[in-house]
């Protein structure tokens, strides 16, 4: 569930260091490096950044001998984005089943909002009015004043 957040943070990192060409080759074609030693050094640094941010089990899933940073990046993309639709369906199901029970109104609304944010990050955005409807959906009578205000 954290992949889209991780990806955005990682992209910010590699863009800020000016090494975009290692993970986003121009026209999707890997360009031969002008200095292979330097290119390999930077590529290794990028792989170490990725490896350092992965869980132990995830590391075992993606670790390949002599893989480039681009190959590692593509493996992670495939692993997480190929099953984006089932994850979106799962999140939507969670939203449908949220009930306030003994939570505070802030915790209840924060939980719904975080699920909606995850869906948006997975390119499955939900309209804002639907977010409001879900927030009001299962409020108990003791929170009726909030529903009326909204």
């Amino acid at each position: 569930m954290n992949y889209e957040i991780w990806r955005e943070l990682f992209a910010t990192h590699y863009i800020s260091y000016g090494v975009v060409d290692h993970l986003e080759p121009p026209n999707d074609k890997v360009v031969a490096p002008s200095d292979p030693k330097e290119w390999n050094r930077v590529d290794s640094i990028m792989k170490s950044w990725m490896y350092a941010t992965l869980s132990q089990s995830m590391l075992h899933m993606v670790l390949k001998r002599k893989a480039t940073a681009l190959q590692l990046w593509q493996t992670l993309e495939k692993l997480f984005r190929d099953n984006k639709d089932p994850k979106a369906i799962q999140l939507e199901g969670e939203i449908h089943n949220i009930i306030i029970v003994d939570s505070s109104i802030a915790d209840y609304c924060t939980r719904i909002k975080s699920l909606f944010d995850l869906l948006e990050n997975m390119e499955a955005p939900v309209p804002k009015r639907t977010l409001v409807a879900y927030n009001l959906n299962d409020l108990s009578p003791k929170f009726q004043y909030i529903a009326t205000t909204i």
Side-chain angles (χ1 to χ4, degrees), residues 26-80:
N27 303 322
D28 291 329
K29 294 179 184 175
V30 178
V31 178
S34 57
D35 181 354
K37 281 187 174 183
E38 178 63 13
W39 190 92
N40 285 333
R41 187 184 73 76
V42 171
D43 204 64
S44 292
I45 290 169
M46 294 184 70
K47 288 190 322 185
S48 70
W49 291 343
M50 284 187 261
Y51 290 149
T53 61
L54 298 175
S55 68
Q56 190 75 16
S57 60
M58 186 61 56
L59 184 58
H60 287 290
M61 290 174 68
V62 300
L63 190 64
K64 277 189 203 167
R65 240 175 77 101
K66 298 185 180 183
T68 65
L70 177 60
Q71 290 167 330
L72 175 58
W73 184 254
Q74 290 170 335
T75 299
L76 288 165
E77 286 275 299
K78 185 170 177 32
L79 187 64
F80 286 99

Side-chain angles (χ1 to χ4, degrees), residues 100 105-106 109 135-136 139 141-150:
I100 195 164
I105 191 74
C109 292
N135 274 309
L136 300 176
L139 290 177
K142 75 178 184 178
F143 294 111
Q144 188 58 43
Y145 68 96
I146 292 173
T148 304
T149 302
I150 294 173

Side-chain angles (χ1 to χ4, degrees):
M1 294 301 187
N2 294 329
Y3 174 72
E4 296 299 329
I5 295 166
W6 174 88
R7 187 185 191 288
E8 178 62 25
L9 293 172
F10 197 85
T12 301
H13 193 71
Y14 73 74
I15 291 167
S16 69
Y17 277 91
V19 291
V20 174
D21 58 325
H22 282 261
L23 299 183
E24 298 177 20
N27 303 322
D28 291 329
K29 294 179 184 175
V30 178
V31 178
S34 57
D35 181 354
K37 281 187 174 183
E38 178 63 13
W39 190 92
N40 285 333
R41 187 184 73 76
V42 171
D43 204 64
S44 292
I45 290 169
M46 294 184 70
K47 288 190 322 185
S48 70
W49 291 343
M50 284 187 261
Y51 290 149
T53 61
L54 298 175
S55 68
Q56 190 75 16
S57 60
M58 186 61 56
L59 184 58
H60 287 290
M61 290 174 68
V62 300
L63 190 64
K64 277 189 203 167
R65 240 175 77 101
K66 298 185 180 183
T68 65
L70 177 60
Q71 290 167 330
L72 175 58
W73 184 254
Q74 290 170 335
T75 299
L76 288 165
E77 286 275 299
K78 185 170 177 32
L79 187 64
F80 286 99
R81 290 210 164 155
D82 276 1
N83 54 2
K84 184 169 42 172
D85 289 336
K87 284 183 183 178
I89 291 168
Q90 176 192 354
L91 289 173
E92 289 170 1
E94 282 185 44
I95 292 169
H96 286 293
N97 294 320
I98 289 179
I99 53 174
I100 195 164
V101 189
D102 293 329
S103 300
S104 71
I105 191 74
D107 289 343
Y108 173 74
C109 292
T110 300
R111 179 72 182 133
I112 291 173
K113 174 77 167 78
S114 68
L115 291 170
F116 273 79
D117 289 345
L118 284 170
L119 282 166
E120 190 168 329
N121 288 339
M122 294 172 61
E123 298 171 0
V126 180
K128 298 291 184 210
R129 66 180 174 275
T130 306
L131 172 62
V132 173
Y134 278 114
N135 274 309
L136 300 176
N137 195 29
D138 286 315
L139 290 177
S140 63
K142 75 178 184 178
F143 294 111
Q144 188 58 43
Y145 68 96
I146 292 173
T148 304
T149 302
I150 294 173

